[in-house]
Amino acid sequence: MRHSFSVFQSHIDLAHSYWSKLVQQGDVVIDATCGNGHDTLFLCKLAITEEKGKVYAIDNQSIAIQSTQTVLQKELNQQRYDRVVFLHQDHSHFPFSIVPESIKLIVYNLGYLPGENKKWTTLTETTMKSILEAQKLIQPGGGISITCYPGHLEGEKELEAIVKYSANLSPKEWSCSQHLWLNRHRSPTLLFFQKTNL
């Protein structure tokens, strides 16, 4: 008996497949909305060794930073854990110490923190500001991964604004794609921008 098989069960599966193709050990990456820490852990396993690589974990909710630290402490040894920089701040800006075109991947998982107050979500204004800043930091060949959740009003606004903005980016500088489930109404959608290597 043959079992049915789906290449991608979710938007997260697809995002992780892109990240795996892009990120190598020794790269510097940013999780701009670290949330519960699971994406941060995935990025750590891709980028960090005991001697090289760095992951920035950003979130404006202290409970998210604490959750991420707990997840990473369970899964990483001390040397690798020490290569993670935790920043309790809004995702609309990044540390001034980060050099332009030095980051391989910046990840956004927008919306609200699972299991917490659903009224506390990322906002279109700060998300767009963050994406503008992120573009300056990405190295040639690097990418920006954005998961949007149009199932709530602010998430719908975020998706609309990001799609409108990305559609006007120069194809000579950025390759932009959108993945959505056509038969799942208002389901999460993944946008991926890759900076050209020209």
Side-chain angles (χ1 to χ4, degrees):
M1 176 178 174
R2 296 184 63 183
H3 296 281
S4 61
F5 176 74
S6 176
V7 176
F8 301 116
Q9 294 288 348
S10 73
H11 54 289
I12 297 298
D13 291 339
L14 181 59
H16 285 185
S17 74
Y18 283 153
W19 305 352
S20 298
K21 293 177 186 298
L22 196 65
V23 178
Q24 299 178 340
Q25 290 184 344
D27 284 335
V28 181
V29 302
I30 299 174
D31 187 345
T33 52
C34 64
N36 54 27
H38 299 301
D39 284 344
T40 314
L41 176 61
F42 191 87
L43 293 170
C44 287
K45 290 181 177 180
L46 293 177
I48 292 178
T49 69
E50 294 183 359
E51 295 83 23
K52 60 183 181 179
K54 181 182 288 187
V55 173
Y56 289 87
I58 300 173
D59 208 287
N60 65 349
Q61 296 189 60
S62 59
I63 190 171
I65 295 294
Q66 293 165 8
S67 295
T68 300
Q69 290 172 332
T70 298
V71 168
L72 299 191
Q73 285 170 342
K74 289 180 180 178
E75 298 291 334
L76 304 178
N77 63 27
Q78 191 62 47
Q79 292 92 331
R80 295 175 76 191
Y81 181 84
D82 288 343
R83 304 194 74 83
V84 183
V85 179
F86 298 96
L87 298 171
H88 179 205
Q89 65 178 57
D90 187 81
H91 70 300
S92 62
H93 61 280
F94 299 100
F96 292 114
S97 58
I98 300 178
V99 177
E101 297 194 338
S102 65
I103 304 297
K104 177 59 75 67
L105 177 67
I106 299 179
V107 168
Y108 298 86
N109 196 345
L110 302 176
Y112 52 81
L113 181 62
E116 298 299 324
N117 190 344
K118 294 183 178 182
K119 294 182 179 180
W120 194 344
T121 73
T122 52
L123 301 173
T124 304
E125 181 180 355
T126 51
T127 295
M128 293 309 302
K129 182 178 179 182
S130 183
I131 291 171
L132 289 171
E133 293 299 314
Q135 288 180 264
K136 302 173 186 176
L137 302 181
I138 295 297
Q139 63 184 243
I144 301 173
S145 175
I146 309 167
T147 302
C148 296
Y149 296 86
H152 60 95
L153 182 59
E154 189 61 31
E156 189 175 3
K157 291 179 180 178
E158 281 182 311
L159 176 58
E160 182 180 354
I162 297 168
V163 169
K164 183 178 180 180
Y165 172 74
S166 61
N168 291 305
L169 290 175
S170 170
K172 294 181 179 180
E173 298 177 9
W174 292 92
S175 175
C176 302
S177 64
Q178 179 183 6
H179 179 280
L180 68 161
W181 306 104
L182 297 175
N183 59 346
R184 301 180 193 174
H185 182 60
R186 302 179 76 187
S187 64
T189 182
L190 175 69
L191 298 105
F192 199 88
F193 306 168
Q194 185 172 23
K195 192 171 186 177
T196 62
N197 250 321
L198 299 178

